[in-house]
Amino acid sequence: MDHRQLAFLCALARERHFGRAAKTCHVTQPTLSARLRQLEEELATPLIRRGHRFEGFTAEGERVLGHARRILGEFEALRGDLASSAPLVGRLTLGVIPTALNALTELLPPLRAAHPGLVLRVRELATPMLAQGLEDGDLDLAIGYLDAPAMAGFAHRPLFDEYPALVASPAHFAVPEAPQWAQLAEYPLCLLTPDMHQRHLLERRVAGQGLMLTPALETDATAALGEWLLAGLGVSVLPEQFVRRRWLPDGEGAPGLVARRLPGEGDRVGMLWPQRTPRGRRLQAVLDLWQAVSGAT
């Protein structure tokens, strides 16, 4: 058994297809299939359910897959720790909640300057998918809500706090300088869908005020939500800094959006990774650099 066989197994779990798994591993499909059969022979147990195509893993295969992910994680950490102090290279896969994507415009430049050989693959994912990606080993690191139930059990470091704001186009709605939660009832509401954690936070806040939300429009796409607000289809509640980074007026006549903070505490956003993952040099360097840039404690 060698680490390449384990990498082939993990690739098959990600791709759910022999041909695509082989392509991501830069080998032919017959080579990948032969090495996986060799692994089954060495372990003296079937790992993969095969028909005309990949049909899944056996119970034993799922157990081996869990061990494979841990072994490969430790192997990558070992390679990083043995590397010199030269700039980092390789690929880091990062999952980010939609409202934190724009924060990367502040976090990426210092990382690129310090480690130009490091390739960062960024995936926009809702909170449950972030947790799944970290658990399955598809993500090296995530940026998400630290208090989300799905994120319980992951190691974390804080980055910044998000504060709720009433968001609207000033060309269509008059928004008070210091809005109150009860004033949401005065506007047509365009909100994120109930399956998104940002909506869960909003529902929890209004329930604490004894209020109920009756949205006119819902979407799971922040880009679409912004377009609706710019078109004057309603107002929304979104993180203040997210709106300021993305849709503030540009000073050249563009209508933009206004974001007026609502009462209440912020929601902590931070970096998350599996507790079982050793902090290799690559992960440790990114954690330290981004925490320094964000100024979080």
Side-chain angles (χ1 to χ4, degrees):
M1 182 191 307
D2 61 44
H3 80 280
R4 288 287 287 167
Q5 290 170 303
L6 301 181
F8 292 164
L9 192 71
C10 291
L12 183 59
R14 287 194 305 272
E15 301 297 332
R16 316 297 292 182
H17 187 276
F18 284 101
R20 290 195 297 269
K23 186 176 181 179
T24 63
C25 294
H26 306 290
V27 298
T28 64
Q29 181 174 333
T31 296
L32 181 134
S33 297
R35 294 301 303 278
L36 290 177
R37 286 193 182 278
Q38 182 183 14
L39 179 62
E40 290 176 311
E41 292 171 2
E42 291 174 356
L43 295 175
T45 186
L47 305 178
I48 301 165
R49 292 188 288 109
R50 298 174 175 87
H52 292 296
R53 58 179 62 87
F54 173 74
E55 295 182 353
F57 293 97
T58 64
E60 294 80 6
E62 292 288 355
R63 291 170 58 192
V64 172
L65 183 61
H67 286 288
R69 286 168 172 156
R70 287 191 290 273
I71 291 169
L72 290 176
E74 292 175 1
F75 180 74
E76 287 300 316
L78 175 61
R79 289 206 303 186
D81 288 339
L82 293 177
S84 68
S85 58
L88 301 175
V89 295
R91 174 178 286 121
L92 186 80
T93 303
L94 173 69
V96 187
I97 55 174
T99 56
L101 267 177
N102 290 79
L104 290 180
T105 58
E106 299 171 9
L107 298 174
L108 288 180
L111 181 63
R112 294 289 301 144
H115 307 288
L118 182 65
V119 177
L120 190 66
R121 176 179 290 171
V122 180
R123 299 180 60 194
E124 179 182 359
L125 297 169
T127 298
M129 298 306 295
L130 282 185
Q132 190 66 51
L134 290 174
E135 188 64 35
D136 291 346
D138 295 334
L139 299 176
D140 299 304
L141 184 65
I143 295 180
Y145 293 107
L146 300 188
D147 68 341
M151 293 305 187
F154 291 112
H156 63 269
R157 283 193 187 181
L159 281 174
F160 54 86
D161 290 332
E162 286 186 346
Y163 292 90
L166 181 61
V167 183
S169 165
H172 298 89
F173 296 98
V175 180
E177 289 292 334
Q180 301 299 310
W181 288 101
Q183 291 175 293
L184 292 181
E186 302 173 9
Y187 302 96
L189 296 176
C190 300
L191 303 177
L192 294 172
T193 50
D195 59 306
M196 301 189 73
H197 189 67
Q198 181 62 224
R199 175 67 176 273
H200 170 74
L201 294 173
L202 174 58
E203 296 279 3
R204 188 172 65 187
R205 284 191 168 98
V206 297
Q209 300 288 324
L211 305 171
M212 291 185 62
L213 296 174
T214 306
L217 292 168
E218 295 180 323
T219 181
D220 61 358
T222 55
L225 183 57
E227 292 300 318
W228 293 349
L229 298 179
L230 288 167
L233 298 182
V235 307
S236 191
V237 177
L238 290 167
E240 180 183 24
Q241 284 303 109
F242 168 65
V243 177
R244 291 189 181 280
R245 289 186 180 106
R246 188 161 185 172
W247 289 302
L248 267 188
D250 62 10
E252 298 180 359
L257 298 172
V258 294
R260 303 278 165 73
R261 187 178 296 189
L262 287 153
E265 297 181 352
D267 302 298
R268 182 60 55 95
V269 174
M271 300 174 285
L272 302 109
W273 65 96
Q275 294 272 14
R276 65 173 183 269
T277 301
R279 287 194 200 176
R281 176 172 170 260
R282 187 166 52 187
L283 177 58
Q284 187 68 53
V286 175
L287 292 173
D288 292 344
L289 179 61
W290 280 359
Q291 188 169 34
V293 170
S294 71
T297 57

